[in-house]
Structure formats: C-alpha cells, structure tokens
Amino acid sequence: VQLQASGGGLVQAGGSLRLACAASGRTFSRYGMGWFRQAPGKEREFVAAIDQSGGSIYYADSVKGRFTISRDNAKNTVYLQMNSLKPEDTAIYYCAASRPPARTYYYSVNYDYWGQGTLVTVSS
C-alpha cells in the first residue's frame, strides 16, 4: 500500500490543523493506521493510532485531549485533527499502516508502510 500525507503547514500556537493520509489499494480497511512525528534532533515518536474498524484508538499522553484520529474506510483515508497546537508539536508528521494481525500500535517497528511525511510548524 502507498500512503500520501497532506495538510501540514504553519499555524500559530492555539490553532488547528487537520492532516490526512490517503492510501492506495483496496485493502485499506485491513490495516491499523498510526501517526508518528519527528522533531528536529529528536527520535520519531508515536502520536496516535486507530485499529481497522475504528473501534480502538490510542494516543500519546502529550496529545491526548487535543488531537483526534479517525478514519474513513470508504475513502481509504485516515485523519489527524490537531487542536490547541503548541510549539512543541512542531515536527514532520508521518502516517503508517500496520498489517494484520493486530500488533501493538505504539511502536514504529510494528508498521509496514510509511508515508512521506508532512511538516507541521507551530509558531509561538
């Protein structure tokens, strides 16, 4: 599967952005999907994940209550709604797909396909 992330940009602190990740192929609904981010000079970190049906959702503590992950299997797309953005949210955001069977979504090694990343910059 190929993943294409979009929606990044420059926003002021307190603002909002909505990222989208479009997947190719007809098997999107079989994949768990996740968002990760990597800030300059830091390791890639988990942000959020959603299982195949959307019934189970996971968030990093740092974004809980501010970010919302969702998916539309009919459109082969997963979204990340980011509200109340902070300067520390500045990073390249990557979407990723995890093949079944379901694995722990928190770890990047459990994902099989990655998008190219979209840059989010939050100014103070």
Side-chain angles (χ1 to χ4, degrees):
V1 63
Q2 291 184 321
L3 304 175
Q4 180 72 39
S6 62
L10 174 64
V11 64
Q12 289 188 331
S16 298
L17 281 175
R18 188 193 196 200
L19 306 184
C21 176
S24 64
R26 295 178 290 179
T27 58
F28 175 75
S29 61
R30 297 178 56 196
Y31 295 90
M33 299 296 297
W35 287 96
F36 288 75
R37 67 186 181 186
Q38 187 166 17
K42 295 188 177 181
E43 293 186 353
R44 189 172 298 190
E45 65 174 1
F46 170 79
V47 175
I50 187 167
D51 73 352
Q52 291 89 333
S53 67
S56 294
I57 289 175
Y58 311 88
Y59 295 103
D61 287 343
S62 59
V63 306
K64 206 171 290 183
R66 300 188 297 122
F67 290 11
T68 302
I69 189 172
S70 62
R71 65 188 297 160
D72 185 336
N73 286 343
K75 295 183 178 180
N76 283 10
T77 302
V78 62
Y79 303 97
L80 186 68
Q81 177 67 43
M82 305 186 295
N83 298 329
S84 302
L85 283 162
K86 304 175 181 180
E88 51 263 43
D89 294 317
T90 295
I92 299 174
Y93 283 71
Y94 299 90
C95 61
S98 178
R99 286 195 305 250
R103 291 166 282 177
T104 303
Y105 291 124
Y106 295 103
Y107 305 115
S108 61
V109 295
N110 288 337
Y111 291 82
D112 306 287
Y113 304 98
W114 291 83
Q116 86 289 359
T118 185
L119 176 63
V120 172
T121 304
V122 184
S123 63
S124 57

